């Protein structure tokens, strides 16, 4: 059988398995193994597996992932999310739609610690949904703001998905973290503007409430100062070259754990729960990484990435046309796959194609720009109806909010995300300007 045909059958079989809700790691790993044997042989597969396991799991980039997950788990279980929302609410909650804006701000701050979209959405929803319900906010605005705010977890540094992208494309993690800063800030601004426009059109859905006193605001701010200090210290140290990303993650874990002990929120039982959750999450991510690696190695044997790049060149399609087709593909895949799985599946195939096109950028700038753009599009896929992952996280957190309300509530944020994608496509410098300035 032709190599390219084998690769296409593999992709079709894997997508079918995912649509049928098979575990992503098993779908990619099992089909990848079968494809590897079809393209080479069973002994070759065993030989690859004997060296791939230790090589893959001893990589520097993957060593960072459990540390950032542990930091996020400790932050979740020590009540930091509640303090973040309280502080945001105290300062901007009195505006019309202010609780929704506070939720977005809280998601941005918590996302900088957790590095996960689903964790950010679910954790902040536990805190913010009851408060918005008591204050008379519509289910649509409450759910939409939290679903959209949760997506900030995979872009605002430190991001687990961004670390995986760096590993797949051999890019510098620090530079990618820097590059995500401006797009992440644009997301917060865009979501806030979306809320402001929404409550101007439907004022009854985001009512005002009493302004907190200055004393209350300062007290709320005092409850989160250490979060800002830890976040600033970890990223500042990484950007400033004081320590590597792995060392920075270790510093963050120790600092957030120490803060939990000092606030009496972190005891032996809670710490054990955090460690168990971290082990489970890390094992799941590592399984997906290994399954994706096996699948992508088989695709490489089939030479599909090279054939795809050659086909695009022969078709004479413009660089922007190819990029837009990839964006559409990501939006469709976002309906059935989580962000990590999408990155692991598509980047090894799409990245060589993108790097073979001329966007008028240096190779490093183009790689960084594509990485940030990919994450932004993946974010959008997580809130795109009918089956965006974050939509169902919010639905699970509040059964009284119907899916119809959630879909309606995400509309302004989807418009905002399309606007941000258009800006990043039109002005690639937004993705790597800080990298050029600070390096």
């Amino acid at each position: 059988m032709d190599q390219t045909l084998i690769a296409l059958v593999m992709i079709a079989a894997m997508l079918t398995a995912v649509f049928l809700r098979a575990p992503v790691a098993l779908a990619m790993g099992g089909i990848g193994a079968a494809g590897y044997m079809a393209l080479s042989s069973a002994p070759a597969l065993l030989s690859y597996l004997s060296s791939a396991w230790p090589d893959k799991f001893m990589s520097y980039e993957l060593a960072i992932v459990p540390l950032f997950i542990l930091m996020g788990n400790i932050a979740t279980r020590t009540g930091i999310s509640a303090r973040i929302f309280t502080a945001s609410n105290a300062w901007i909650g009195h505006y019309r739609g202010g609780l929704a804006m506070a939720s977005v701000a809280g998601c941005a701050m918590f996302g900088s610690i957790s590095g996960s979209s689903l964790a950010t959405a679910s954790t902040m929803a536990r805190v913010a949904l009851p408060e918005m319900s008591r204050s008379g906010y519509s289910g649509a605005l409450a759910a939409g703001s939290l679903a959209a705010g949760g997506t900030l977890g995979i872009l605002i540094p430190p991001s687990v998905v961004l670390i995986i992208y760096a590993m797949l494309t051999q890019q510098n993690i620090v530079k990618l973290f820097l590059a995500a800063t401006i797009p992440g800030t644009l997301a917060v601004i865009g979501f806030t503007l979306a809320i402001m426009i929404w409550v101007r059109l439907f004022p009854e859905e985001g009512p005002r409430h009493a302004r907190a006193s200055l004393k209350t605001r300062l007290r709320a701010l005092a409850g989160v100062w250490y979060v800002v200090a830890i976040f600033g210290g970890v990223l500042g140290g990484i950007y400033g070259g004081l320590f590597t990303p792995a060392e920075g993650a270790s510093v963050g874990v120790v600092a957030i754990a120490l803060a939990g002990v000092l606030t009496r929120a972190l005891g032996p039982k809670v710490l054990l729960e955090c460690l168990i959750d971290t082990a489970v999450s890390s094992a799941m991510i590592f399984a997906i990484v290994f399954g994706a690696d096996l699948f992508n190695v088989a695709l490489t044997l089939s030479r599909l990435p090279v054939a795809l790049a050659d086909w695009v060149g022969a078709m004479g399609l413009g660089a922007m046309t190819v990029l837009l087709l990839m964006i559409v593909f990501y939006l469709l895949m976002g309906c059935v796959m989580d962000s990590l799985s999408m990155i692991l599946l598509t980047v090894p195939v799409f990245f060589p194609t993108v790097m073979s096109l001329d966007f008028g950028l240096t190779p490093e700038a183009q790689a960084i720009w594509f990485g940030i753009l990919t994450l932004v599009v993946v974010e959008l896929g997580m809130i795109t109806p009918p089956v965006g992952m974050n939509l169902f996280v919010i639905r699970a957190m509040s059964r009284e909010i119907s899916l119809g309300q959630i879909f309606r509530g995400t509309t302004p944020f989807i418009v905002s995300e399309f606007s941000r994608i258009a800006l990043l496509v039109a002005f690639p410098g937004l993705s790597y300007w800080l990298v050029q300035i600070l390096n």
Side-chain angles (χ1 to χ4, degrees), residues 176-333:
L176 282 168
F177 281 1
L178 271 174
T181 303
I182 291 178
T185 303
L186 287 175
V188 176
I189 294 172
F191 291 164
T192 302
L193 289 174
I195 294 169
M196 293 173 66
I197 294 171
W198 182 274
V199 296
R200 195 172 188 85
L201 296 174
F202 310 102
E204 72 283 357
E205 296 198 19
R208 299 177 186 270
H209 66 78
R211 181 191 293 265
S213 66
L214 180 61
K215 182 179 180 181
T216 301
R217 293 188 200 185
L218 294 176
R219 187 185 300 120
L221 200 60
V224 296
W225 69 268
Y226 64 91
V227 179
V228 178
I230 292 171
F231 171 68
V234 169
L235 289 186
I238 292 173
Y239 295 159
L242 297 179
F243 35 71
T244 66
E247 292 167 346
S250 302
V251 169
V253 168
V254 173
I256 207 82
L258 182 60
V261 171
L262 293 177
T263 56
R264 299 183 179 180
L266 182 65
K269 181 180 178 181
V270 175
L271 179 59
L272 180 61
E273 291 173 349
C274 292
L275 292 171
I276 292 173
D277 283 351
T278 299
V280 171
S281 298
S282 298
M284 178 191 69
I285 291 174
F286 283 14
I288 294 174
V289 167
F290 187 77
D293 178 70
L294 191 53
F295 187 84
N296 290 321
V297 166
L299 288 183
T300 301
L301 283 177
S302 73
R303 296 185 59 79
L304 180 66
V306 176
L308 179 61
D310 291 342
W311 177 77
V312 169
M315 286 288 289
L317 297 175
M320 281 299 173
T321 301
V322 175
L323 184 66
L324 291 176
L325 290 174
M326 290 180 180
I327 289 174
V328 171
F329 179 83
Y330 275 121
L331 293 178
L332 295 175
M333 291 299 296

Side-chain angles (χ1 to χ4, degrees), residues 126-196:
R126 288 191 185 95
V127 178
L129 276 177
E131 184 65 26
M132 284 195 271
S133 178
R134 284 193 296 268
S135 298
Y137 276 61
S138 70
L141 180 58
S145 58
L146 285 164
T151 64
L152 298 171
I154 66 171
L155 183 60
I156 293 181
S159 162
V160 171
V161 179
L162 207 55
I163 292 171
I164 298 299
Y165 176 84
M167 179 186 71
L168 292 173
T169 60
Q170 302 298 308
Q171 299 301 308
N172 184 283
I173 294 176
V174 178
K175 291 182 179 180
L176 282 168
F177 281 1
L178 271 174
T181 303
I182 291 178
T185 303
L186 287 175
V188 176
I189 294 172
F191 291 164
T192 302
L193 289 174
I195 294 169
M196 293 173 66

